[in-house]
């Protein structure tokens, strides 16, 4: 615990004890030998001490400055007990509160170090009030070790909690560092409003928007309108936080270009806000290449007509529809007479120009749904289909 936090806690405890002591000292019955006026004065001194501790600049002073609160605390407890007629109930309560405070504010071992001071604060008032006897001494032997144990247990728990908090902060810092420096574009947006909460450097570089521009925008400003449902699915498609899934969508860059993106999304808690963390993969080039490969697999590279494989596939489907009485089909096979002579006399370049010219003429006279194919060499095929 930092000195500033310790001072705040000390101030709160002093104010709390003072607030409890003022009415109890003023109106509740007291034991024999008690001085109500002095007790009320001491109660207000506790309140004043709490206010004073609250305004002192402990955060500017070294950590050991908090130790200065120990002597006046025990002196105040002892003085109160002298004028309370050695009221053991309040007395023990003050000691338990003080040692709990020691455990919270100071490191482990401090409760044991202040034991002599606590013993003096416990026994001296009893001696001054002439209540020092075997029973009271035995109570000190019981109360003080219990107080030390309480303080050490509280200090141990506080140290473990502090260590856990440090680990959590370090883990969060590490995760943020991985997020910011990840070469893959990533962003976080509010699950409900879709407002961007954070973006990494890779997203800024890839999309062209600055970080400030991103944080003033919503995910719906980047994702194409026809894919806005993807954002809803990313957020609400998984009831369990941490579940991930990949969703394709179209995104718009700052310069107006569009790209195809596969986003791997998961629901996260971001600074107390239910959010979606998305890792973005630009697949524009990959999809374009896949489309090119798919086109080449079913089209003739010279004429761009359907090849033998695509023609046979469409013919099979047309025959199946014809068998069900849904359509009638015609197939026309043709080849070019004298094509070998063109190749031999004028070269293959001229032959290729003849083939592409024929392909263009065939394609110009096709209806929607008809198929023209080059089966190989100078062989072409036409497939016509009419609904019955």
């Amino acid at each position: 615990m930092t000195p500033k936090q310790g001072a705040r806690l000390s101030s709160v405890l002093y104010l709390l004890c003072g607030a409890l002591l003022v009415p109890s000292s003023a109106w509740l019955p007291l034991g024999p030998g008690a001085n109500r006026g002095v007790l009320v004065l001491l109660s207000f001194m506790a309140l004043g001490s709490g206010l004073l501790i609250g305004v002192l600049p402990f955060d500017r002073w070294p950590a050991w400055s908090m130790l200065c609160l120990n002597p006046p605390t025990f002196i105040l407890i002892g003085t109160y007990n002298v004028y309370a007629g050695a009221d053991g109930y309040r007395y023990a309560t003050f000691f338990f509160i003080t040692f709990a405070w020691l455990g919270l504010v100071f490191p482990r071992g401090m409760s044991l170090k202040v034991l002599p001071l606590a013993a003096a604060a416990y026994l001296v008032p009893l001696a001054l009030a002439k209540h020092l006897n075997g029973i009271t001494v035995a109570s000190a032997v019981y109360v003080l070790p219990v107080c030390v144990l309480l303080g050490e247990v509280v200090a141990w728990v506080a140290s473990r909690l502090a260590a856990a908090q440090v680990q959590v902060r370090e883990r969060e810092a590490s995760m943020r560092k991985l997020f910011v420096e990840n070469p893959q574009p990533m962003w976080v947006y509010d699950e409900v409003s879709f407002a961007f909460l954070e973006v990494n450097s890779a997203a800024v570089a890839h999309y062209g928007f600055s970080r400030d521009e991103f944080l003033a925008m919503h995910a719906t400003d980047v994702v194409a309108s026809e894919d806005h449902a993807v954002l809803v699915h990313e957020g609400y498609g998984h009831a369990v936080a941490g579940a991930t899934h990949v969703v394709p969508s179209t995104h718009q860059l700052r310069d107006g270009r569009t790209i195809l993106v596969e986003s791997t999304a998961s629901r996260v808690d971001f600074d107390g806000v239910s959010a979606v963390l998305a890792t973005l993969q630009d697949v524009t080039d990959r999809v374009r290449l896949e489309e090119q490969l798919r086109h080449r697999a079913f089209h003739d590279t010279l004429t761009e007509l359907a090849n033998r494989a695509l023609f046979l596939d469409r013919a099979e489907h047309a025959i199946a529809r014809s068998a069900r009485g849904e359509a009638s089909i015609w197939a026309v096979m043709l080849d070019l007479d004298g094509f070998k002579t063109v190749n031999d006399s004028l070269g293959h370049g001229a032959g290729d120009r003849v083939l592409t010219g024929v392909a263009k003429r065939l394609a110009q006279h096709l209806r929607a749904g008809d198929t023209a194919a080059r089966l190989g060499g100078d062989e072409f095929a036409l497939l016509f289909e009419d609904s019955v």
Side-chain angles (χ1 to χ4, degrees):
M1 183 176 292
T2 65
K4 184 176 182 180
Q5 293 172 330
R8 288 180 177 176
L9 177 61
S10 305
S11 175
V12 170
L13 289 178
Y14 262 88
L15 291 173
L16 179 61
C17 290
L20 293 175
L21 287 175
V22 169
S24 65
S25 301
W27 296 296
L28 294 182
L30 299 174
N35 188 321
R36 190 180 298 274
V38 175
L39 294 180
V40 172
L41 177 62
L42 291 173
S43 302
F44 278 105
M45 287 180 62
L47 287 173
S49 299
L51 294 174
L52 178 62
I53 294 171
V55 298
L56 287 176
F58 279 95
D59 55 324
R60 302 179 187 174
W61 298 343
W64 58 262
S65 61
M66 289 295 299
L67 294 173
C68 299
L69 295 177
N70 288 334
T73 298
F74 285 111
I75 290 173
L76 186 61
I77 293 175
T79 304
Y80 186 91
N81 193 54
V82 169
Y83 292 96
D87 186 347
Y89 291 105
R90 303 184 197 188
Y91 205 31
T93 301
F94 291 148
F95 273 90
F96 287 131
I97 292 175
T98 301
F99 276 89
W101 165 75
L102 286 170
L104 287 172
V105 176
F106 298 100
R108 295 168 60 182
M110 182 56 66
S111 297
L112 192 60
K113 292 178 181 178
V114 302
L115 182 59
L117 184 61
Y122 192 96
L123 295 174
V124 170
L126 293 176
L128 293 176
K130 298 181 180 180
H131 286 285
L132 195 62
N133 52 48
I135 295 177
T136 55
V137 171
S139 69
V141 174
Y142 165 75
V143 171
L144 292 177
V146 172
C147 288
V148 171
L149 179 62
L150 172 64
E152 289 302 302
V153 170
V154 172
W156 179 81
V157 173
S159 65
R160 294 299 295 265
L161 289 176
Q165 289 176 345
V166 170
Q167 290 180 350
V168 170
R169 286 195 295 269
E170 290 177 348
R171 190 178 299 112
E172 289 179 350
S174 177
M175 293 301 295
R176 284 186 180 271
K177 181 178 177 65
L178 289 174
F179 172 84
V180 172
E181 298 181 0
N182 197 305
Q184 198 80 1
M186 301 175 71
W187 60 39
V188 181
Y189 62 86
D190 188 295
E191 184 181 28
V192 177
S193 68
F194 306 124
F196 284 116
L197 304 176
E198 189 57 88
V199 294
N200 70 351
S201 301
V204 170
H206 197 78
Y207 283 79
F209 299 100
S210 69
R211 180 176 179 274
D212 291 338
E213 287 176 325
F214 259 121
L215 298 183
M217 297 165 58
H218 294 71
T220 50
D221 298 327
V222 178
V223 179
S225 57
E226 62 269 20
D227 291 326
H228 284 180
V230 170
L231 299 174
V232 178
H233 180 64
E234 285 181 348
Y236 296 102
H238 294 273
V240 181
T244 60
H245 60 290
V246 179
V247 182
S249 56
T250 302
H251 292 192
Q252 185 170 354
L253 305 181
R254 194 179 193 279
D255 59 11
R257 291 182 295 120
T258 58
I259 58 175
L260 297 176
V261 173
E262 285 185 351
S263 59
T264 303
S266 59
R267 297 175 69 183
V268 296
D269 182 82
F270 186 85
D271 292 338
V273 177
S274 182
V276 176
L277 168 65
T279 302
L280 312 166
Q281 176 69 43
D282 187 343
V283 295
T284 307
D285 293 338
R286 190 191 76 191
V287 171
R288 185 180 294 116
L289 178 60
E290 290 174 351
E291 291 176 348
Q292 290 175 355
L293 293 176
R294 193 179 303 111
H295 181 82
R296 290 178 183 177
F298 294 102
H299 290 80
D300 178 60
T301 55
L302 177 63
T303 63
E304 294 297 324
L305 296 180
N307 61 11
R308 182 184 296 270
L310 181 57
F311 181 82
L312 292 176
D313 180 72
R314 291 184 177 178
E316 289 178 0
H317 284 84
I319 292 172
R321 286 192 291 270
S322 177
R324 292 194 301 267
E326 299 175 2
S328 58
I329 60 173
W330 296 268
V332 178
M333 311 296 292
L334 59 95
D335 60 11
L336 304 181
D337 293 337
F339 179 72
K340 185 176 183 303
T341 303
V342 174
N343 269 341
D344 292 341
S345 60
L346 300 178
H348 290 284
D352 289 344
R353 288 193 292 274
V354 171
L355 292 175
T356 55
V358 171
K360 288 180 181 179
R361 290 195 177 188
L362 292 176
Q364 289 173 356
H365 293 84
L366 290 179
R367 303 168 304 173
D370 295 340
T371 301
R374 182 191 176 201
L375 303 183
D378 62 348
E379 297 180 351
F380 293 85
L382 301 174
L383 178 65
F384 303 99
E385 185 174 1
D386 285 324
S387 300
V388 175

